[in-house]
Amino acid sequence: MSTFEERKAGFLAIELDGAGYKNIAAAVLAAESAGFQAATFKDTPEAGRTNALQRAAFAGPVTRTIAVVPEIDTVYTEPFHVSTQLASLDYVSGGRAGWIATAAVSPEAAAAVGRSFVEGDALAQEAAASIEVSRRLWDSWEDDAVIRDVATGRYIDVDKLHYADFETPADFSGAAYSVKGPSIIPRPLQGQLPVLAAASLVGEGLVPAYTVDAVLVSAPTPELLAAEVRDARARLGSSVAIVAELDVVLDSRGQAAESRALSEQEAGTPQDSRFARFVGSAAGLTELLDSLLREADGVRLHPAVLDVELEELSRLVLPELRRRGVLRPPVQDGTFRDVLGLAPAENRYSTTAAAPLAAGK
Amino acid sequence: MTRDIFQPSGQIQFGIFFQGVNSGTIWKAPQAGSQTDFESFRHIAQTAERGKFAAFFLGEGLRLREHLGRPHALDVVGRPDAQTMLAALAAVTTNIGLVATQNTTYNDPADLAHRLSSLDLISGGRAAWNIVTTDNAWTGANFRRGGYLDHADRYKHAEAFVVTAKRIWDSWETPAGPARRVLHEGQHYTVDVSPRLPRSAQYRPVLFQAGDSPDGRDFAARQADVIFSAHPKFDDAVEFRRDIVARSIAAGRGANAVQIMPASEFILGATDQEAQEKKAWVRSLQIGPQQAIAYLEQFWGRELSSYDPDGPLPEIDPVVEETSETRGSGFHGAKARQLADQWRAEAKDKGLSIRQFVTSKTARIDSTFTGSYTAVADHLAEYARVGAVDGFNISPWLIPTGLDEIVNHLVPELQERGVYPTEYRGTTLRENLGLETPVRSEEPAHV
Ligand SMILES: Cc1cc2nc3c(=O)[nH]c(=O)nc-3n(C[C@H](O)[C@H](O)[C@H](O)COP(=O)(O)O)c2cc1C
């Protein structure tokens, strides 16, 4: 018999793309007071969609608890800019930032920056390189590099700044490049931001598992999701958090989810979504999440219509999951690393720590 | 009223330039706060908004400044990404413009246009882009394309970039779309963009330009709404205005089409004497003995720490022919030996120590207004009367409280004189600056 203490409480994330750019504050505050641990922001080239990182940055100062986690492409972006932007997001959110590293499969995105189209395994190479650049740049200032030493007139201790000196590997399939460093912003508040990526992008020969903190696992149906989570766990080990992806359509205001789902034009989740889709009552979803949160570390919900689903989730689903002890209570001013159960990030270049970690994640 | 005759508006506006990287911001004083905490940015942006400032500016440097081959240790350094910070500030402010300095050499037009447009939409039409063209292989070492651009081509490239960005912003006929595709075939790369975003409340981001060469001025006269100039002194400002008016007319735009906001610093007090004393204190914290030596080391290219900052200039010669770009745009390309000879002669002539000499050199580009609140207000009213500038972009020497006395004392004096806004005119930056709605950029024939 499992007791309350034995169950590992998980976390819930919610995709807020449906809020657009005019209602970011209201949406993220609603998600925060509902008790979600993280808000994510989509970034695929869709008409009307503003930059995901900026929406996350806007959400940062209006909240105190919820992590803000944008998707940012790793293929057609400049790794140096991406790293600086993410470090800045960590500052404006008080250490609650994360990164869903995506690899765009998009001839349009390639044409827009005048690069050749990348596909197949080369996507993972681009992603791995971009993540590595960011991680090195985040470590390129040691935590105590800003010394403000009036006696010697030094604002920084130059010995605590490091060149990242990144080079793409010899077998890199894209155009080779290098990044010098150091970063132009001090080390982020969390040291290293948690990096998330789709499970399909992570593993042997792809993005190395030790360079990410969590993978996003998807399956075609809710029934298959738990099995997929177990597979990912077996494949990647226990040092990577597993987050299950789930589209949700709920009964609402006397309307059955089935009928809503079919008629909804402004749906935030496309009908051809890659994610498992739960369609039904709040009680049914509570049962599903209860069982999923026993297998996965967290679940990311993609609401069909943000306002509608969020209201049901906040009234009926999250309180019950907390009561059952499968969902963690929110912690004010915690970091996103705390949410994922990550230890403080060691600095790979550290000149003060006794033994720098090799992986340095 | 003719388009070809400049009409002074009789008003001046203020912007705040949170520099983040320089020797101008004091960090040694006990009142000096964090340069990176969000609270510093929030405090200063909200103070500026209380003072009806038109804009909050952030600068950009894409590689850490170096000194003798290592990161420069003495000055304030390390700053957040401009647009990320401004998106966060958009959430805690309502009227102030949000200006991001962004480089045309190390960005992609489609990506930058999209991000600026996003900031514009998220902020309700308050975004602006301060266009800079800093280019060198040393900065390029942080980017995929590396040092691909010749210095001589920087504005050619920048103009193609800005024209492309404008076409991306103008590509939506209506908020519902559909967008026109934007093609740009350049000397360095070709881009084919499917724009994603509708117009903002101010149509498109306001364009500032910072760069002072003749090419830079012509580029601004053709493309920009506002110039962030380096000419704050009255006669120089009047001359710069005359030059920009002439260039704007030559570019086929009206005499009032391009506004001017010089970089500036204010050191104020209840009396002139108090302000002068404060200035001496501020300067002693900005240029200490170590900064004075480091300033010379930049030009000598060698360590000079054995020299007494209160003694004469070094007799040994520089080991470099030319100073490099590693200390930022202001130091680039000076002929080192020639300068050293000149400076030694000058310092000897005037009997100046290293520290006195460096202070005089940095004062040569002094953009400081020093005096009592009333005296400075009278002086600024004169700028407004003749239209020497449209406003000042103020670098506070203290973070985060450096605007307090300006907002609490100088702004009311200016408002009393009727030369400074008492309310925001509107909610967009374009409205608040009094800029006209831009004409939709034309599609080139080949698209
Ligand atoms: C007032 C002013 C502020 C500037 N601020 C920046 C800045 O924040 N970042 C930057 O890279 N360059 C900055 N610049 C330099 C410009 O980017 C410009 O590239 C440089 O001056 C070369 O152009 P020019 O030859 O026309 O002057 C600034 C220039 C001026 C005049």
Side-chain angles (χ1 to χ4, degrees), chain B residues 95-167:
Chain B
N95 290 84
I96 196 165
L98 304 165
V99 193
T101 299
Q102 304 270 269
N103 184 296
T104 51
T105 307
Y106 305 108
N107 277 293
D108 286 302
D111 177 56
L112 188 64
H114 180 70
R115 284 191 291 123
L116 285 164
S117 188
S118 295
L119 181 64
D120 208 16
L121 290 165
I122 287 171
S123 65
R126 295 191 278 142
W129 172 17
N130 180 37
I131 305 163
V132 295
T133 58
T134 301
D135 63 277
N136 47 61
W138 179 77
T139 305
N142 282 332
F143 297 96
R144 288 180 192 257
R145 288 194 183 94
Y148 71 100
L149 187 68
D150 274 353
H151 183 65
D153 287 338
R154 70 199 186 285
Y155 279 110
K156 254 203 297 190
H157 178 79
E159 189 146 7
F161 190 121
V162 171
V163 167
T164 303
K166 284 183 176 176
R167 287 171 50 217

Side-chain angles (χ1 to χ4, degrees), chain A residues 44-62:
Chain A
T44 52
E46 206 157 287
R49 180 173 285 148
T50 53
N51 181 267
L53 178 118
Q54 289 180 14
R55 279 180 281 142
F58 188 99
V62 299

